[in-house]
Short mmCIF file of all heavy atoms in Angstrom, two decimals:
data_model
loop_
_atom_site.label_atom_id
_atom_site.label_comp_id
_atom_site.label_asym_id
_atom_site.label_seq_id
_atom_site.Cartn_x
_atom_site.Cartn_y
_atom_site.Cartn_z
N MET C 20 -30.11 28.61 58.58
CA MET C 20 -31.29 29.38 58.16
C MET C 20 -31.45 30.60 59.08
O MET C 20 -31.25 30.49 60.28
CB MET C 20 -32.53 28.49 58.24
CG MET C 20 -33.73 29.08 57.53
SD MET C 20 -35.18 28.02 57.68
CE MET C 20 -34.78 26.72 56.54
N THR C 21 -31.78 31.69 58.50
CA THR C 21 -31.98 32.91 59.28
C THR C 21 -33.43 32.99 59.74
O THR C 21 -34.33 32.45 59.09
CB THR C 21 -31.67 34.14 58.41
OG1 THR C 21 -30.35 34.00 57.89
CG2 THR C 21 -31.74 35.42 59.20
N SER C 22 -33.65 33.64 60.85
CA SER C 22 -35.01 33.89 61.31
C SER C 22 -35.26 35.38 61.36
O SER C 22 -34.33 36.18 61.48
CB SER C 22 -35.23 33.31 62.70
OG SER C 22 -35.20 31.92 62.66
N LEU C 23 -36.53 35.73 61.28
CA LEU C 23 -36.93 37.12 61.45
C LEU C 23 -37.72 37.19 62.75
O LEU C 23 -38.70 36.46 62.93
CB LEU C 23 -37.80 37.56 60.27
CG LEU C 23 -38.25 39.02 60.30
CD1 LEU C 23 -37.05 39.96 60.13
CD2 LEU C 23 -39.27 39.29 59.19
N ALA C 24 -37.27 38.05 63.64
CA ALA C 24 -38.01 38.27 64.89
C ALA C 24 -38.83 39.55 64.74
O ALA C 24 -38.33 40.57 64.27
CB ALA C 24 -37.04 38.42 66.05
N LYS C 25 -40.09 39.45 65.13
CA LYS C 25 -40.96 40.64 65.12
C LYS C 25 -41.45 40.86 66.54
O LYS C 25 -41.78 39.89 67.24
CB LYS C 25 -42.16 40.43 64.19
CG LYS C 25 -41.78 40.30 62.74
CD LYS C 25 -43.02 40.18 61.86
CE LYS C 25 -42.63 40.12 60.39
NZ LYS C 25 -43.81 40.00 59.51
N ILE C 26 -41.47 42.10 66.96
CA ILE C 26 -41.93 42.38 68.32
C ILE C 26 -43.10 43.34 68.31
O ILE C 26 -43.26 44.16 67.40
CB ILE C 26 -40.80 42.94 69.21
CG1 ILE C 26 -40.20 44.21 68.64
CG2 ILE C 26 -39.72 41.88 69.42
CD1 ILE C 26 -39.21 44.91 69.58
N LYS C 27 -43.94 43.20 69.33
CA LYS C 27 -45.09 44.08 69.51
C LYS C 27 -44.99 44.71 70.89
O LYS C 27 -45.61 44.22 71.86
CB LYS C 27 -46.39 43.27 69.39
CG LYS C 27 -46.59 42.66 68.01
CD LYS C 27 -47.91 41.94 67.95
CE LYS C 27 -48.17 41.42 66.54
NZ LYS C 27 -49.45 40.69 66.46
N PRO C 28 -44.21 45.78 71.00
CA PRO C 28 -44.00 46.40 72.32
C PRO C 28 -45.30 46.85 72.96
O PRO C 28 -45.38 46.94 74.19
CB PRO C 28 -43.10 47.61 71.99
CG PRO C 28 -42.48 47.28 70.67
CD PRO C 28 -43.47 46.46 69.93
N GLU C 29 -46.31 47.12 72.16
CA GLU C 29 -47.58 47.59 72.72
C GLU C 29 -48.28 46.52 73.55
O GLU C 29 -49.16 46.81 74.36
CB GLU C 29 -48.51 48.11 71.61
CG GLU C 29 -49.05 47.06 70.65
CD GLU C 29 -48.10 46.73 69.48
OE1 GLU C 29 -46.92 47.09 69.55
OE2 GLU C 29 -48.59 46.13 68.52
N LEU C 30 -47.88 45.25 73.36
CA LEU C 30 -48.46 44.16 74.14
C LEU C 30 -47.65 43.84 75.40
O LEU C 30 -48.14 43.17 76.31
CB LEU C 30 -48.55 42.88 73.29
CG LEU C 30 -49.43 42.92 72.04
CD1 LEU C 30 -49.36 41.56 71.33
CD2 LEU C 30 -50.86 43.26 72.40
N CYS C 31 -46.42 44.27 75.43
CA CYS C 31 -45.48 43.88 76.49
C CYS C 31 -45.96 44.36 77.86
O CYS C 31 -46.39 45.50 78.03
CB CYS C 31 -44.10 44.48 76.18
SG CYS C 31 -42.86 44.12 77.44
N ILE C 32 -45.88 43.44 78.84
CA ILE C 32 -46.28 43.78 80.22
C ILE C 32 -45.06 43.85 81.15
O ILE C 32 -45.19 43.77 82.36
CB ILE C 32 -47.30 42.77 80.77
CG1 ILE C 32 -46.74 41.33 80.69
CG2 ILE C 32 -48.63 42.87 80.03
CD1 ILE C 32 -47.58 40.30 81.44
N SER C 33 -43.88 43.98 80.55
CA SER C 33 -42.64 44.21 81.31
C SER C 33 -42.34 43.11 82.33
O SER C 33 -41.88 43.40 83.43
CB SER C 33 -42.70 45.56 82.05
OG SER C 33 -43.06 46.59 81.17
N CYS C 34 -42.59 41.87 81.96
CA CYS C 34 -42.34 40.79 82.92
C CYS C 34 -40.86 40.44 83.01
O CYS C 34 -40.42 39.83 83.97
CB CYS C 34 -43.15 39.55 82.54
SG CYS C 34 -42.49 38.63 81.14
N GLY C 35 -40.09 40.79 82.00
CA GLY C 35 -38.64 40.58 82.05
C GLY C 35 -38.15 39.22 81.58
O GLY C 35 -36.95 38.96 81.62
N LEU C 36 -39.05 38.34 81.17
CA LEU C 36 -38.64 36.98 80.80
C LEU C 36 -37.80 36.92 79.54
O LEU C 36 -36.87 36.12 79.45
CB LEU C 36 -39.87 36.09 80.61
CG LEU C 36 -40.43 35.41 81.85
CD1 LEU C 36 -41.66 34.60 81.48
CD2 LEU C 36 -39.38 34.51 82.48
N CYS C 37 -38.11 37.71 78.55
CA CYS C 37 -37.46 37.53 77.24
C CYS C 37 -35.96 37.79 77.31
O CYS C 37 -35.19 37.09 76.65
CB CYS C 37 -38.13 38.36 76.16
SG CYS C 37 -38.34 40.10 76.52
N ALA C 38 -35.54 38.75 78.10
CA ALA C 38 -34.10 39.00 78.19
C ALA C 38 -33.39 37.97 79.06
O ALA C 38 -32.18 37.86 79.02
CB ALA C 38 -33.83 40.41 78.70
N VAL C 39 -34.16 37.22 79.85
CA VAL C 39 -33.56 36.10 80.58
C VAL C 39 -33.19 35.00 79.58
O VAL C 39 -32.11 34.42 79.64
CB VAL C 39 -34.54 35.55 81.64
CG1 VAL C 39 -34.01 34.24 82.23
CG2 VAL C 39 -34.76 36.58 82.73
N TYR C 40 -34.10 34.75 78.64
CA TYR C 40 -33.88 33.67 77.67
C TYR C 40 -33.05 34.12 76.47
O TYR C 40 -32.39 33.29 75.85
CB TYR C 40 -35.22 33.11 77.21
CG TYR C 40 -35.91 32.35 78.30
CD1 TYR C 40 -36.95 32.91 79.02
CD2 TYR C 40 -35.49 31.06 78.64
CE1 TYR C 40 -37.57 32.22 80.05
CE2 TYR C 40 -36.09 30.36 79.67
CZ TYR C 40 -37.14 30.94 80.36
OH TYR C 40 -37.73 30.26 81.39
N ALA C 41 -33.11 35.36 76.12
CA ALA C 41 -32.38 35.84 74.95
C ALA C 41 -31.73 37.20 75.25
O ALA C 41 -32.06 38.21 74.63
CB ALA C 41 -33.33 35.95 73.75
N PRO C 42 -30.76 37.19 76.16
CA PRO C 42 -30.15 38.45 76.57
C PRO C 42 -29.34 39.13 75.48
O PRO C 42 -29.09 40.34 75.57
CB PRO C 42 -29.25 38.04 77.75
CG PRO C 42 -28.98 36.59 77.53
CD PRO C 42 -30.21 36.04 76.89
N ASP C 43 -28.94 38.37 74.46
CA ASP C 43 -28.18 39.00 73.37
C ASP C 43 -29.10 39.67 72.35
O ASP C 43 -28.64 40.43 71.50
CB ASP C 43 -27.34 37.95 72.64
CG ASP C 43 -26.24 37.41 73.54
OD1 ASP C 43 -25.81 38.13 74.46
OD2 ASP C 43 -25.80 36.27 73.32
N ILE C 44 -30.39 39.36 72.42
CA ILE C 44 -31.33 39.90 71.43
C ILE C 44 -32.17 41.03 72.03
O ILE C 44 -32.35 42.08 71.40
CB ILE C 44 -32.27 38.79 70.92
CG1 ILE C 44 -31.48 37.64 70.31
CG2 ILE C 44 -33.28 39.38 69.90
CD1 ILE C 44 -32.33 36.44 69.92
N PHE C 45 -32.67 40.82 73.23
CA PHE C 45 -33.65 41.76 73.78
C PHE C 45 -33.12 42.58 74.94
O PHE C 45 -32.27 42.14 75.71
CB PHE C 45 -34.90 41.00 74.24
CG PHE C 45 -35.60 40.28 73.12
CD1 PHE C 45 -35.66 38.89 73.11
CD2 PHE C 45 -36.16 40.97 72.07
CE1 PHE C 45 -36.29 38.22 72.07
CE2 PHE C 45 -36.79 40.31 71.03
CZ PHE C 45 -36.85 38.93 71.03
N ASP C 46 -33.68 43.77 75.05
CA ASP C 46 -33.39 44.67 76.16
C ASP C 46 -34.70 45.43 76.43
O ASP C 46 -35.71 45.16 75.79
CB ASP C 46 -32.25 45.61 75.78
CG ASP C 46 -31.53 46.17 77.00
OD1 ASP C 46 -32.02 45.94 78.13
OD2 ASP C 46 -30.51 46.84 76.83
N TYR C 47 -34.64 46.36 77.34
CA TYR C 47 -35.86 47.09 77.71
C TYR C 47 -35.62 48.59 77.74
O TYR C 47 -34.51 49.05 78.00
CB TYR C 47 -36.34 46.64 79.10
CG TYR C 47 -36.51 45.15 79.19
CD1 TYR C 47 -35.61 44.39 79.90
CD2 TYR C 47 -37.53 44.52 78.51
CE1 TYR C 47 -35.75 43.01 79.96
CE2 TYR C 47 -37.68 43.15 78.55
CZ TYR C 47 -36.78 42.40 79.28
OH TYR C 47 -36.91 41.05 79.32
N ASP C 48 -36.70 49.33 77.52
CA ASP C 48 -36.59 50.78 77.67
C ASP C 48 -36.72 51.13 79.16
O ASP C 48 -36.79 50.26 80.02
CB ASP C 48 -37.61 51.51 76.78
CG ASP C 48 -39.05 51.31 77.24
OD1 ASP C 48 -39.28 50.78 78.36
OD2 ASP C 48 -39.96 51.67 76.47
N GLU C 49 -36.77 52.42 79.45
CA GLU C 49 -36.77 52.83 80.87
C GLU C 49 -38.05 52.41 81.59
O GLU C 49 -38.09 52.41 82.82
CB GLU C 49 -36.53 54.35 80.98
CG GLU C 49 -37.58 55.23 80.35
CD GLU C 49 -37.40 55.41 78.85
OE1 GLU C 49 -36.45 54.85 78.26
OE2 GLU C 49 -38.24 56.10 78.25
N GLU C 50 -39.07 52.02 80.83
CA GLU C 50 -40.31 51.54 81.48
C GLU C 50 -40.41 50.01 81.48
O GLU C 50 -41.44 49.45 81.84
CB GLU C 50 -41.52 52.15 80.77
CG GLU C 50 -41.61 53.65 80.98
CD GLU C 50 -42.70 54.31 80.18
OE1 GLU C 50 -43.27 53.66 79.29
OE2 GLU C 50 -42.98 55.48 80.45
N GLY C 51 -39.35 49.38 81.05
CA GLY C 51 -39.34 47.92 81.07
C GLY C 51 -39.99 47.28 79.87
O GLY C 51 -40.26 46.08 79.86
N ILE C 52 -40.27 48.06 78.84
CA ILE C 52 -40.89 47.53 77.63
C ILE C 52 -39.80 47.03 76.69
O ILE C 52 -38.79 47.69 76.49
CB ILE C 52 -41.73 48.62 76.92
CG1 ILE C 52 -42.80 49.18 77.86
CG2 ILE C 52 -42.35 48.08 75.63
CD1 ILE C 52 -43.83 48.17 78.32
N LEU C 53 -40.06 45.86 76.08
CA LEU C 53 -39.00 45.25 75.29
C LEU C 53 -38.63 46.04 74.05
O LEU C 53 -39.47 46.73 73.46
CB LEU C 53 -39.36 43.81 74.90
CG LEU C 53 -39.94 43.54 73.51
CD1 LEU C 53 -39.69 42.12 73.09
CD2 LEU C 53 -41.42 43.88 73.49
N LEU C 54 -37.38 45.90 73.68
CA LEU C 54 -36.86 46.43 72.42
C LEU C 54 -35.69 45.55 72.01
O LEU C 54 -35.21 44.73 72.78
CB LEU C 54 -36.46 47.90 72.57
CG LEU C 54 -35.66 48.37 73.80
CD1 LEU C 54 -34.22 47.95 73.72
CD2 LEU C 54 -35.78 49.87 73.95
N PHE C 55 -35.28 45.72 70.76
CA PHE C 55 -34.11 45.01 70.29
C PHE C 55 -32.86 45.71 70.83
O PHE C 55 -32.73 46.92 70.73
CB PHE C 55 -34.06 44.97 68.77
CG PHE C 55 -35.05 44.02 68.15
CD1 PHE C 55 -36.09 44.49 67.38
CD2 PHE C 55 -34.93 42.65 68.35
CE1 PHE C 55 -37.01 43.63 66.81
CE2 PHE C 55 -35.84 41.77 67.79
CZ PHE C 55 -36.89 42.26 67.02
N LYS C 56 -31.96 44.91 71.37
CA LYS C 56 -30.75 45.45 71.97
C LYS C 56 -29.94 46.27 70.96
O LYS C 56 -29.45 47.35 71.27
CB LYS C 56 -29.91 44.28 72.47
CG LYS C 56 -28.90 44.61 73.51
CD LYS C 56 -28.34 43.32 74.09
CE LYS C 56 -27.45 43.61 75.27
NZ LYS C 56 -27.00 42.37 75.91
N GLU C 57 -29.81 45.75 69.75
CA GLU C 57 -28.96 46.43 68.76
C GLU C 57 -29.68 47.53 68.00
O GLU C 57 -29.05 48.45 67.50
CB GLU C 57 -28.41 45.40 67.76
CG GLU C 57 -27.40 44.48 68.40
CD GLU C 57 -26.77 43.52 67.41
OE1 GLU C 57 -27.11 43.58 66.21
OE2 GLU C 57 -25.97 42.70 67.85
N GLU C 58 -31.00 47.41 67.89
CA GLU C 58 -31.78 48.41 67.15
C GLU C 58 -33.02 48.79 67.94
O GLU C 58 -34.11 48.29 67.66
CB GLU C 58 -32.21 47.85 65.79
CG GLU C 58 -31.12 47.70 64.79
CD GLU C 58 -31.67 47.20 63.46
OE1 GLU C 58 -32.11 48.03 62.66
OE2 GLU C 58 -31.69 45.97 63.27
N PRO C 59 -32.87 49.65 68.91
CA PRO C 59 -33.98 49.95 69.82
C PRO C 59 -35.23 50.51 69.13
O PRO C 59 -36.33 50.39 69.67
CB PRO C 59 -33.39 51.00 70.77
CG PRO C 59 -31.92 50.77 70.71
CD PRO C 59 -31.63 50.32 69.32
N GLU C 60 -35.06 51.10 67.96
CA GLU C 60 -36.22 51.68 67.27
C GLU C 60 -36.93 50.67 66.37
O GLU C 60 -38.03 50.94 65.89
CB GLU C 60 -35.79 52.88 66.41
CG GLU C 60 -35.06 53.97 67.18
CD GLU C 60 -35.93 54.58 68.26
OE1 GLU C 60 -37.14 54.75 68.01
OE2 GLU C 60 -35.42 54.86 69.36
N ALA C 61 -36.32 49.54 66.11
CA ALA C 61 -36.85 48.58 65.14
C ALA C 61 -37.95 47.71 65.74
O ALA C 61 -37.97 47.45 66.95
CB ALA C 61 -35.73 47.69 64.62
N HIS C 62 -38.87 47.27 64.89
CA HIS C 62 -39.91 46.33 65.31
C HIS C 62 -39.70 44.96 64.71
O HIS C 62 -40.47 44.04 64.96
CB HIS C 62 -41.29 46.87 64.98
CG HIS C 62 -41.75 47.90 65.97
ND1 HIS C 62 -43.05 48.32 66.06
CD2 HIS C 62 -41.07 48.59 66.91
CE1 HIS C 62 -43.15 49.23 67.02
NE2 HIS C 62 -41.95 49.41 67.54
N GLN C 63 -38.66 44.82 63.90
CA GLN C 63 -38.27 43.50 63.43
C GLN C 63 -36.77 43.47 63.17
O GLN C 63 -36.15 44.50 62.93
CB GLN C 63 -39.06 43.09 62.18
CG GLN C 63 -38.90 44.00 60.99
CD GLN C 63 -39.72 43.49 59.81
OE1 GLN C 63 -40.81 42.97 59.99
NE2 GLN C 63 -39.19 43.65 58.61
N GLN C 64 -36.23 42.28 63.26
CA GLN C 64 -34.78 42.15 63.13
C GLN C 64 -34.43 40.75 62.67
O GLN C 64 -35.05 39.78 63.11
CB GLN C 64 -34.12 42.44 64.48
CG GLN C 64 -32.61 42.45 64.46
CD GLN C 64 -32.03 42.91 65.79
OE1 GLN C 64 -32.12 44.06 66.16
NE2 GLN C 64 -31.43 41.99 66.52
N PHE C 65 -33.45 40.63 61.79
CA PHE C 65 -32.96 39.32 61.39
C PHE C 65 -32.11 38.75 62.52
O PHE C 65 -31.30 39.46 63.12
CB PHE C 65 -32.13 39.42 60.11
CG PHE C 65 -32.94 39.79 58.92
CD1 PHE C 65 -32.84 41.05 58.35
CD2 PHE C 65 -33.84 38.88 58.37
CE1 PHE C 65 -33.61 41.41 57.25
CE2 PHE C 65 -34.62 39.22 57.27
CZ PHE C 65 -34.50 40.48 56.71
N ILE C 66 -32.31 37.46 62.78
CA ILE C 66 -31.62 36.79 63.88
C ILE C 66 -30.76 35.68 63.30
O ILE C 66 -31.27 34.79 62.59
CB ILE C 66 -32.64 36.19 64.88
CG1 ILE C 66 -33.58 37.27 65.40
CG2 ILE C 66 -31.93 35.46 66.01
CD1 ILE C 66 -32.92 38.37 66.20
N PRO C 67 -29.47 35.69 63.58
CA PRO C 67 -28.59 34.63 63.04
C PRO C 67 -28.91 33.28 63.66
O PRO C 67 -29.45 33.19 64.77
CB PRO C 67 -27.19 35.10 63.42
CG PRO C 67 -27.39 36.05 64.54
CD PRO C 67 -28.73 36.67 64.37
N GLN C 68 -28.52 32.25 62.94
CA GLN C 68 -28.87 30.88 63.32
C GLN C 68 -28.44 30.55 64.76
O GLN C 68 -29.17 29.87 65.49
CB GLN C 68 -28.22 29.91 62.36
CG GLN C 68 -28.71 28.49 62.50
CD GLN C 68 -28.26 27.62 61.34
OE1 GLN C 68 -27.36 27.99 60.59
NE2 GLN C 68 -28.87 26.48 61.20
N GLU C 69 -27.29 31.04 65.17
CA GLU C 69 -26.79 30.67 66.49
C GLU C 69 -27.62 31.28 67.63
O GLU C 69 -27.51 30.87 68.78
CB GLU C 69 -25.31 31.05 66.65
CG GLU C 69 -25.00 32.51 66.48
CD GLU C 69 -24.67 32.89 65.04
OE1 GLU C 69 -25.05 32.14 64.12
OE2 GLU C 69 -24.04 33.93 64.85
N GLN C 70 -28.49 32.23 67.30
CA GLN C 70 -29.34 32.82 68.34
C GLN C 70 -30.80 32.35 68.22
O GLN C 70 -31.66 32.79 69.00
CB GLN C 70 -29.29 34.35 68.26
CG GLN C 70 -27.94 34.90 68.66
CD GLN C 70 -27.89 36.42 68.62
OE1 GLN C 70 -28.86 37.08 68.32
NE2 GLN C 70 -26.73 36.97 68.93
N GLU C 71 -31.05 31.45 67.28
CA GLU C 71 -32.44 31.01 67.06
C GLU C 71 -33.05 30.29 68.25
O GLU C 71 -34.22 30.49 68.57
CB GLU C 71 -32.50 30.08 65.85
CG GLU C 71 -32.68 30.83 64.56
CD GLU C 71 -32.88 29.87 63.40
OE1 GLU C 71 -33.24 28.70 63.63
OE2 GLU C 71 -32.66 30.30 62.28
N ALA C 72 -32.27 29.46 68.90
CA ALA C 72 -32.81 28.71 70.04
C ALA C 72 -33.23 29.66 71.15
O ALA C 72 -34.29 29.49 71.76
CB ALA C 72 -31.78 27.71 70.54
N ALA C 73 -32.41 30.67 71.38
CA ALA C 73 -32.74 31.66 72.42
C ALA C 73 -33.99 32.44 72.02
O ALA C 73 -34.88 32.68 72.85
CB ALA C 73 -31.56 32.61 72.61
N LEU C 74 -34.08 32.79 70.76
CA LEU C 74 -35.27 33.52 70.29
C LEU C 74 -36.52 32.66 70.46
O LEU C 74 -37.56 33.15 70.92
CB LEU C 74 -35.09 33.90 68.81
CG LEU C 74 -36.33 34.49 68.14
CD1 LEU C 74 -36.76 35.78 68.81
CD2 LEU C 74 -36.06 34.72 66.65
N ARG C 75 -36.42 31.39 70.10
CA ARG C 75 -37.58 30.49 70.19
C ARG C 75 -38.04 30.37 71.64
O ARG C 75 -39.24 30.39 71.93
CB ARG C 75 -37.22 29.12 69.63
CG ARG C 75 -38.42 28.19 69.51
CD ARG C 75 -38.08 26.88 68.83
NE ARG C 75 -37.59 27.07 67.47
CZ ARG C 75 -36.36 26.84 67.07
NH1 ARG C 75 -35.48 26.37 67.91
NH2 ARG C 75 -36.00 27.05 65.83
N LYS C 76 -37.10 30.27 72.55
CA LYS C 76 -37.46 30.17 73.96
C LYS C 76 -38.14 31.44 74.44
O LYS C 76 -39.16 31.41 75.13
CB LYS C 76 -36.21 29.93 74.81
CG LYS C 76 -35.92 28.48 75.03
CD LYS C 76 -34.89 28.33 76.14
CE LYS C 76 -34.64 26.87 76.42
NZ LYS C 76 -33.52 26.67 77.32
N ALA C 77 -37.56 32.57 74.10
CA ALA C 77 -38.14 33.85 74.53
C ALA C 77 -39.54 34.02 73.98
O ALA C 77 -40.46 34.42 74.69
CB ALA C 77 -37.24 35.00 74.08
N ALA C 78 -39.71 33.68 72.70
CA ALA C 78 -41.04 33.83 72.08
C ALA C 78 -42.03 32.89 72.74
O ALA C 78 -43.20 33.26 72.99
CB ALA C 78 -40.94 33.53 70.58
N GLY C 79 -41.58 31.67 73.07
CA GLY C 79 -42.47 30.70 73.69
C GLY C 79 -42.84 31.05 75.12
O GLY C 79 -43.92 30.69 75.58
N LYS C 80 -41.98 31.75 75.81
CA LYS C 80 -42.22 32.08 77.21
C LYS C 80 -42.99 33.38 77.39
O LYS C 80 -43.54 33.62 78.46
CB LYS C 80 -40.90 32.18 77.97
CG LYS C 80 -40.13 30.88 78.05
CD LYS C 80 -40.82 29.89 78.98
CE LYS C 80 -40.01 28.59 79.08
NZ LYS C 80 -40.67 27.60 79.93
N CYS C 81 -42.99 34.22 76.39
CA CYS C 81 -43.67 35.52 76.53
C CYS C 81 -45.16 35.31 76.80
O CYS C 81 -45.86 34.71 75.98
CB CYS C 81 -43.48 36.37 75.28
SG CYS C 81 -44.38 37.94 75.40
N PRO C 82 -45.67 35.78 77.92
CA PRO C 82 -47.06 35.51 78.30
C PRO C 82 -48.09 36.22 77.42
O PRO C 82 -49.26 35.84 77.42
CB PRO C 82 -47.14 36.00 79.76
CG PRO C 82 -46.03 36.98 79.89
CD PRO C 82 -44.95 36.53 78.97
N VAL C 83 -47.67 37.24 76.70
CA VAL C 83 -48.64 38.00 75.89
C VAL C 83 -48.34 37.88 74.39
O VAL C 83 -48.92 38.60 73.58
CB VAL C 83 -48.68 39.49 76.31
CG1 VAL C 83 -49.22 39.62 77.72
CG2 VAL C 83 -47.29 40.12 76.20
N ARG C 84 -47.46 36.98 74.04
CA ARG C 84 -47.09 36.75 72.64
C ARG C 84 -46.68 38.05 71.92
O ARG C 84 -47.15 38.34 70.83
CB ARG C 84 -48.23 36.06 71.87
CG ARG C 84 -48.50 34.67 72.39
CD ARG C 84 -49.52 33.95 71.56
NE ARG C 84 -49.64 32.55 71.96
CZ ARG C 84 -48.92 31.56 71.44
NH1 ARG C 84 -48.04 31.82 70.51
NH2 ARG C 84 -49.08 30.33 71.85
N ALA C 85 -45.82 38.77 72.57
CA ALA C 85 -45.33 40.03 71.98
C ALA C 85 -44.12 39.79 71.08
O ALA C 85 -43.61 40.72 70.48
CB ALA C 85 -44.96 41.01 73.10
N ILE C 86 -43.66 38.52 71.03
CA ILE C 86 -42.50 38.18 70.20
C ILE C 86 -42.91 37.11 69.20
O ILE C 86 -43.42 36.06 69.59
CB ILE C 86 -41.35 37.64 71.08
CG1 ILE C 86 -40.94 38.68 72.12
CG2 ILE C 86 -40.16 37.25 70.21
CD1 ILE C 86 -40.02 38.14 73.20
N LEU C 87 -42.73 37.38 67.94
CA LEU C 87 -43.07 36.43 66.88
C LEU C 87 -41.80 36.05 66.14
O LEU C 87 -40.87 36.85 66.02
CB LEU C 87 -44.07 37.05 65.91
CG LEU C 87 -45.35 37.58 66.54
CD1 LEU C 87 -46.17 38.34 65.52
CD2 LEU C 87 -46.16 36.43 67.14
N MET C 88 -41.77 34.82 65.64
CA MET C 88 -40.58 34.32 64.97
C MET C 88 -40.99 33.73 63.62
O MET C 88 -41.89 32.91 63.55
CB MET C 88 -39.97 33.23 65.84
CG MET C 88 -38.73 32.61 65.28
SD MET C 88 -38.11 31.38 66.47
CE MET C 88 -36.69 30.79 65.56
N GLU C 89 -40.32 34.17 62.58
CA GLU C 89 -40.56 33.62 61.24
C GLU C 89 -39.28 33.01 60.72
O GLU C 89 -38.22 33.62 60.80
CB GLU C 89 -40.98 34.74 60.26
CG GLU C 89 -42.40 35.16 60.38
CD GLU C 89 -42.73 36.29 59.40
OE1 GLU C 89 -42.02 36.43 58.39
OE2 GLU C 89 -43.67 37.02 59.69
N LYS C 90 -39.38 31.81 60.17
CA LYS C 90 -38.23 31.19 59.53
C LYS C 90 -38.12 31.73 58.10
O LYS C 90 -39.12 31.84 57.39
CB LYS C 90 -38.43 29.68 59.46
CG LYS C 90 -38.12 29.00 60.77
CD LYS C 90 -36.64 28.73 60.85
CE LYS C 90 -36.33 27.79 62.03
NZ LYS C 90 -34.88 27.65 62.19
N LEU C 91 -36.92 32.03 57.70
CA LEU C 91 -36.69 32.52 56.34
C LEU C 91 -35.82 31.52 55.60
O LEU C 91 -34.86 30.99 56.16
CB LEU C 91 -35.99 33.87 56.37
CG LEU C 91 -36.70 34.99 57.13
CD1 LEU C 91 -35.83 36.23 57.12
CD2 LEU C 91 -38.05 35.30 56.51
N ALA C 92 -36.15 31.28 54.36
CA ALA C 92 -35.30 30.42 53.55
C ALA C 92 -34.01 31.15 53.23
O ALA C 92 -33.99 32.36 53.10
CB ALA C 92 -36.02 30.04 52.27
N ASP C 93 -32.93 30.42 53.13
CA ASP C 93 -31.64 31.05 52.79
C ASP C 93 -31.64 31.50 51.34
O ASP C 93 -32.31 30.94 50.51
CB ASP C 93 -30.50 30.06 53.03
CG ASP C 93 -30.19 29.95 54.52
OD1 ASP C 93 -30.42 30.95 55.23
OD2 ASP C 93 -29.73 28.87 54.94
S1 SF4 M 127 -41.52 38.19 77.81
FE1 SF4 M 127 -43.10 39.34 76.69
S2 SF4 M 127 -44.21 40.48 78.25
FE2 SF4 M 127 -42.31 39.78 79.17
S3 SF4 M 127 -40.86 41.50 78.92
FE3 SF4 M 127 -40.59 40.11 77.17
S4 SF4 M 127 -41.98 40.89 75.56
FE4 SF4 M 127 -42.60 41.82 77.51
#
């Protein structure tokens, strides 16, 4: 099953946790605000099944809930 990750960079406090848990998905701009590694301008991205666990951890650890995860039916 694919997931959709949605991010709210306006909430991000640059704590750095999300890229610890999901380094293949998330990266930061020059101010430490999160963005998608592959699509820095995007606010949502489809996440393949093999990266879902990492996404779930990152979303769960984010102190300001700037990362949301939606399950999508195949
Ligand atoms: S875990 Fe949340 S607050 Fe911390 S860098 Fe990632 S998005 Fe920003």
Side-chain angles (χ1 to χ4, degrees):
M20 193 181 285
T21 305
S22 292
L23 182 67
K25 294 184 178 180
I26 58 172
K27 297 183 175 179
E29 69 275 16
L30 298 179
C31 178
I32 56 169
S33 309
C34 76
L36 273 179
C37 52
V39 170
Y40 290 102
D43 293 334
I44 303 173
F45 298 115
D46 203 353
Y47 306 108
D48 69 11
E49 63 278 0
E50 293 174 348
I52 303 297
L53 98 156
L54 45 75
F55 286 114
K56 201 170 187 174
E57 290 184 2
E58 288 183 86
E60 304 299 322
H62 282 194
Q63 59 180 36
Q64 184 173 290
F65 292 108
I66 303 297
Q68 191 168 15
E69 59 270 21
Q70 292 182 1
E71 272 186 19
L74 172 62
R75 188 175 299 112
K76 268 194 177 171
K80 295 289 182 182
C81 177
V83 294
R84 295 186 172 270
I86 301 169
L87 304 172
M88 180 178 179
E89 281 179 23
K90 281 275 191 186
L91 302 176
D93 283 331

